[in-house]
DNA sequence: ATGGTTGGGGGCCAA
């Protein structure tokens, strides 16, 4: 499907392609394959960025996705934990996976889309429980990872999209209670300050907040531990889609598909959907 | 203040 997007800089209509882009921490792609199937049927994404696939690269269900039209695949998996995968109907080129913090973790996969936009899919470390880098190496790793992302963002010189489970809820309205979560990993000042610095490092546009005001609660994750996640609604916005400033005018819509959180044996994360007109030239 | 749930993998850990 092609569309036209008005480019405010050049005052011209430029050819573009409308794409539905999704980021979803599935918490094991094999355990959740029926939910992925249902989600694909209902929402028809063009590009599906998964995190926590929890499978080695060579055991990823490639043919399952190929049968559903996602013939272009960029996968970085590892045994047990982590792992990211980008499944696409659009061609993926220049696939690369960087080794962040030299840990050898599968937490990043990048690919170039038609038209030249680079798509980065991240799974940022969760950071453990104790928000003190001196006593908790997991938290130190998370802060170091975010610092590395800030430095990397400053060097970006191409139209880019960054999606994934960033494991930080940056704004007060990204958590159910700002006051009660200030000392809870995912919303502590060292994390939210880094998210702000990360945003500034490339002038990233938060595609979710482009459609929802900053003071309006917006969540993508609800703990498994709540008796009734929807009734208590103690959510956090840990999943994000950020785009380069030059792509901002292409943003067409956004939703958090929280229906999937209430399905049988769900992930604790809901898919985040963004519709965007990608430049074709 | 505490505990609540889940998946992977192989006997608890990370989330």
């Amino acid at each position: 499907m092609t569309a036209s997007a008005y480019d405010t800089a050049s005052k011209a209509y430029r050819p573009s392609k409308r794409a539905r882009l999704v980021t979803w921490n599935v918490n094991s792609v094999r355990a959740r394959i029926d939910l992925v199937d249902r989600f694909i049927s209902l929402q028809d994404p063009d590009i599906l960025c998964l995190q926590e696939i929890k499978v080695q690269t060579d055991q990823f269900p490639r043919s399952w996705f190929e049968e559903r039209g996602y013939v272009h695949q960029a996968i970085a998996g590892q045994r047990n934990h982590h792992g990211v995968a980008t499944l696409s109907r659009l061609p993926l080129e220049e696939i690369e996976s960087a080794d962040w913090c030299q840990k050898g973790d599968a937490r990043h996969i990048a690919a170039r889309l038609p038209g030249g936009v680079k798509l980065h899919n991240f799974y940022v470390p969760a950071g453990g429980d104790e928000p003190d880098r001196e006593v908790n190496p997991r938290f130190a790793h998370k802060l170091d990872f975010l610092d590395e992302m800030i430095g990397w963002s400053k060097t970006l010189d191409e139209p880019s999209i960054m999606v994934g489970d960033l494991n930080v809820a940056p704004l007060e309205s990204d958590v159910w209670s700002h006051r009660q979560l200030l000392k809870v990993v995912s919303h502590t000042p060292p994390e939210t300050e880094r998210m702000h610095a990360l945003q500034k490092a490339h002038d990233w546009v938060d595609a979710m907040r482009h459609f929802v005001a900053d003071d309006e609660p917006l969540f993508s994750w609800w703990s498994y531990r709540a008796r009734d996640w929807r009734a208590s609604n103690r959510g956090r916005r840990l999943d994000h889609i950020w785009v380069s400033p030059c792509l901002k005018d292409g943003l067409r819509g956004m939703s958090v598909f929280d229906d999937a959180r209430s399905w049988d044996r769900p992930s604790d994360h809901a898919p985040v959907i963004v519709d965007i007109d990608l430049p074709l030239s």
Side-chain angles (χ1 to χ4, degrees):
Chain A
M1 180 195 320
T2 54
S4 279
Y6 185 66
D7 178 26
T8 47
S10 67
K11 308 281 185 202
Y13 284 94
R14 302 172 66 182
S16 61
K17 179 174 182 64
R18 179 76 47 90
R20 172 158 285 189
L21 174 65
V22 169
T23 183
W24 191 11
N25 178 325
V26 282
N27 187 13
S28 170
V29 69
R30 290 177 294 186
R32 232 61 82 181
I33 200 72
D34 291 341
L35 277 66
V36 174
D37 199 23
R38 192 167 168 192
F39 175 74
I40 288 171
S41 302
L42 289 170
Q43 291 297 323
D44 203 28
D46 297 300
I47 306 168
L48 189 53
C49 297
L50 303 178
Q51 301 87 34
E52 275 206 274
I53 57 175
K54 290 186 173 177
V55 63
Q56 283 171 274
T57 306
D58 60 8
Q59 290 177 26
F60 187 89
R62 283 183 178 273
S63 56
W64 189 95
F65 283 94
E66 284 166 6
E67 287 160 12
R68 286 156 182 80
Y70 302 92
V71 300
H72 306 284
Q73 308 183 346
I75 297 152
Q78 69 181 81
R79 196 172 149 83
N80 299 350
H81 298 305
H82 321 319
V84 290
T86 299
L87 300 317
S88 177
R89 292 171 173 161
L90 312 180
L92 301 176
E93 294 173 350
E94 294 178 39
I95 293 165
E96 53 196 0
S97 177
D99 181 9
W100 297 75
C101 298
Q102 298 181 317
K103 286 267 192 180
D105 287 345
R107 295 185 177 275
H108 168 258
I109 191 85
R112 188 177 304 286
L113 300 172
V117 175
K118 198 82 184 238
L119 172 61
H120 295 271
N121 179 1
F122 279 97
Y123 176 50
V124 172
D129 289 331
E130 185 63 43
D132 179 351
R133 70 175 303 149
E134 301 306 323
V135 300
N136 175 9
R138 297 183 184 285
F139 193 66
H141 178 212
K142 182 178 197 174
L143 298 184
D144 291 347
F145 196 105
L146 292 169
D147 284 338
E148 210 167 300
M149 289 176 77
I150 292 165
W152 163 79
S153 277
K154 288 176 181 169
T155 70
L156 280 181
D157 57 358
E158 55 192 351
S160 303
I161 300 175
M162 173 171 68
V163 313
D165 177 3
L166 304 188
N167 263 316
V168 183
L171 306 181
E172 295 189 9
S173 54
D174 290 333
V175 292
W176 62 275
S177 169
H178 169 61
R179 191 178 57 81
Q180 293 183 73
L181 283 167
L182 272 170
K183 292 179 178 174
V184 175
V185 171
S186 72
H187 193 61
T188 67
E191 295 167 275
T192 56
E193 285 162 10
R194 278 170 175 80
M195 285 289 274
H196 187 64
L198 180 59
Q199 186 272 322
K200 291 195 72 169
H202 180 66
D203 202 15
W204 286 110
V205 175
D206 180 336
M208 298 175 75
R209 287 296 177 188
H210 180 76
F211 295 101
V212 179
D214 279 0
D215 58 357
E216 202 172 312
L218 185 60
F219 311 142
S220 65
W221 174 91
W222 293 262
S223 170
Y224 282 126
R225 298 174 188 176
R227 249 184 233 108
D228 184 337
W229 71 276
R230 211 189 271 280
S232 59
N233 197 26
R234 295 186 169 186
R236 307 176 201 171
R237 187 168 71 109
L238 305 180
D239 304 278
H240 299 272
I241 298 181
W242 291 5
V243 305
S244 291
C246 62
L247 302 177
K248 178 180 178 177
D249 289 341
L251 292 170
R252 288 292 172 270
M254 187 286 295
S255 60
V256 178
F257 191 71
D258 59 9
D259 284 9
R261 183 62 183 80
S262 64
W263 290 348
D264 192 37
R265 297 179 73 78
S267 167
D268 44 357
H269 295 254
V272 176
I273 305 169
V274 159
D275 292 322
I276 183 169
D277 287 335
L278 297 171
L280 283 179
S281 59

